[in-house]
Amino acid sequence: MSLQTEDKYVIKNNKKLRRGYTTGSCAAAAAKGAAMMLLGGDSVETVDLMTPRGIPLKLSLENIRREGDRASCGVVKDGGDDPDATHGLLICAQVSKSAQPGIHIDGGQGVGRVTVPGLDQPPGAAAINHVPREMIVREVQGICRQYGYEGGIQVLVTVPSGVETAKKTFNPRLGIEGGISILGTTGIVEPMSEQALVKSIEVEMNVRIAQGGQALLVTPGNYGEAFLKEHMSLPFEKNMKCSNYIGETIDLAVEKGVQGILFVGHIGKLIKVAGGIMNTHSHCADSRCEIMAANALRAGISREGALAILQTKTTDEALDILDSEQVLEPTMERIADKIQFYLEHRSYSQIELGAVFFSSARGYLGETRNARELMKKI
């Protein structure tokens, strides 16, 4: 990839991280290269692409083939320094002439197919989002004008390793079957992008809403998901993940008119919410033992017990201290009240919010006052 020096890197957490480019950019570049070979007859090894972000790319073409009335090639996805399951995948496009006017785009091997409403594309369509589709159309139309071709063009996007890679993505949870999605709104991958993570939460939320879910069941991570599946009589298939972004998830739900959310999470995550911390990533904030100790003092723990909690490294250690001083249950009740307060504070009480929390060692620990009502709605 060729980028200007000022565009190639970003600084995150005092680290210099390399940008990449999206599967949408790869598909558009591959389609452009294949169209150039089909209509111009020349061999092409690189193509220039202007991304929606305004950052130009020069991308190398792989697997170049021209057979009769069709041509194909691919571009290797480069996610930069972002931990991306699609990094290194070959994204291919086959271009052929069509009797039907216009540019027609579909997905083949390794490109997922949408099976539920609420996503960027309707059920039955290839999981190629609207911005990549627009990029493909723009690039192919430009080549058609360059060579004076006025007929129709069929573009088939394929990803040879897409079926296996899709198992590592959110696609199975979202109702996208058979491969990966061709994504990207800017054409550029921002390394460690919070915006991209929150966008993935929004996509999953849209699916749940489209399926009729007005009260959402949300788990911050794998522990919450496992507890939900093994210990709660709620429809597991309706749950969605929010990672560390509890606040952003509430904001999205308010914006979309959702009636309520029940969070099911490990005490190690939700104890932070009891202190008003709405991004539970350890890099943003911790204070687990401080919040636990403060609520334990309200519940009657001894000064020595509170000091011992302040020295703990895990919430399970703190729970053992609470239990030894026989204040576990009243402390959990106070933590539940605080979680409820800060959830409502984030939403300005515009939607109904609640939580159930647990620990890996002790199981169920407590719930907020309206958790049972939300369970009925879910």
Side-chain angles (χ1 to χ4, degrees):
M1 173 176 66
S2 175
L3 287 171
Q4 299 295 323
T5 302
E6 63 270 21
D7 291 328
K8 195 169 184 178
Y9 297 96
V10 293
I11 304 298
K12 293 282 180 72
N13 301 326
N14 297 317
K15 293 181 180 178
K16 189 176 183 180
L17 300 176
R18 188 171 61 85
R19 285 185 168 113
Y21 44 87
T22 63
T23 50
S25 289
C26 295
K32 180 178 183 178
M36 291 170 70
M37 289 184 283
L38 176 67
L39 300 179
D42 296 327
S43 179
V44 180
E45 295 183 351
T46 62
V47 295
D48 294 319
L49 182 78
M50 178 57 71
T51 62
R53 176 71 179 272
I55 296 176
L57 301 174
K58 182 180 286 292
L59 300 173
S60 299
L61 303 180
E62 311 283 342
N63 283 28
I64 298 168
R65 294 189 183 125
R66 187 170 186 275
E67 302 169 349
D69 60 352
R70 65 186 60 185
S72 64
C73 60
V75 173
V76 175
K77 162 71 186 296
D78 183 353
D81 285 328
D82 196 61
D84 187 342
T86 62
H87 177 77
L89 283 187
L90 183 67
I91 314 296
C92 301
Q94 176 184 279
V95 174
S96 57
K97 294 181 180 179
S98 171
Q100 188 178 3
I103 312 295
H104 307 280
I105 302 166
D106 201 0
Q109 176 193 3
V111 174
R113 189 72 50 176
V114 178
T115 65
V116 297
L119 293 167
D120 184 273
Q121 296 296 304
I128 305 172
N129 278 11
H130 72 280
V131 173
R133 287 176 183 267
E134 292 165 4
M135 293 171 68
I136 291 169
V137 168
R138 184 184 69 238
E139 298 301 332
V140 173
Q141 282 180 339
I143 299 304
C144 288
R145 287 193 296 270
Q146 180 180 335
Y147 290 102
Y149 177 73
E150 298 180 353
I153 290 287
Q154 179 71 41
V155 179
L156 183 69
V157 179
T158 62
V159 184
S161 300
V163 175
E164 284 302 311
T165 302
K167 297 174 184 177
K168 305 173 187 176
T169 72
F170 273 100
N171 277 14
R173 294 174 61 92
L174 297 176
I176 298 173
E177 298 178 357
I180 69 164
S181 299
I182 305 301
L183 303 172
T185 55
T186 67
I188 297 295
V189 174
E190 296 290 343
M192 307 297 289
S193 169
E194 288 192 6
Q195 183 180 4
L197 289 170
V198 173
K199 183 65 179 178
S200 70
I201 295 168
E202 182 179 10
V203 170
E204 189 168 9
M205 187 179 291
N206 287 339
V207 171
R208 299 290 172 250
I209 293 170
Q211 292 172 341
Q214 284 304 303
L216 302 178
L217 180 59
V218 177
T219 55
N222 293 331
Y223 289 145
E225 195 175 58
F227 182 83
L228 174 65
K229 187 174 186 178
E230 295 169 13
H231 301 290
M232 297 186 72
S233 56
L234 290 171
F236 176 77
E237 68 280 0
K238 289 187 177 181
N239 93 88
M240 59 171 282
K241 286 186 179 180
C242 70
S243 185
N244 296 298
Y245 302 98
I246 289 174
E248 287 83 355
T249 300
I250 294 170
D251 297 344
L252 287 168
V254 170
E255 178 187 331
K256 295 176 184 298
V258 171
Q259 293 176 7
I261 301 175
L262 177 67
F263 292 96
V264 177
H266 192 279
I267 184 65
K269 289 279 187 189
L270 294 187
I271 186 67
K272 298 181 183 181
V273 177
I277 299 166
M278 290 291 159
N279 183 329
T280 58
H281 196 289
S282 59
H283 182 76
C284 294
D286 191 352
S287 300
R288 289 171 299 167
C289 56
E290 289 83 1
I291 296 168
M292 189 78 80
N295 285 282
L297 284 168
R298 294 186 182 102
I301 198 172
S302 68
R303 177 178 180 275
E304 291 73 23
L307 288 172
I309 288 174
L310 291 175
Q311 300 304 313
T312 59
K313 305 224 179 269
T314 69
T315 49
D316 281 323
E317 291 178 69
L319 295 174
D320 289 342
I321 295 169
L322 294 174
D323 195 16
S324 70
E325 294 218 6
Q326 300 181 340
V327 292
L328 177 60
E329 186 174 336
T331 302
M332 293 303 104
E333 290 173 358
R334 283 158 177 77
I335 286 171
D337 289 343
K338 287 295 184 180
I339 290 172
Q340 186 70 57
F341 173 82
Y342 283 111
L343 289 176
E344 291 178 350
H345 179 71
R346 178 67 180 225
S347 73
Y348 294 102
S349 299
Q350 294 179 77
I351 64 175
E352 191 174 5
L353 295 163
V356 174
F357 48 97
F358 63 91
S359 81
S360 300
R362 295 174 178 272
Y364 172 87
L365 291 172
E367 62 189 55
T368 60
R369 64 175 180 270
N370 57 351
R372 295 287 161 173
E373 189 62 32
L374 281 163
M375 289 182 202
K376 292 176 185 177
K377 293 180 179 179
I378 292 167

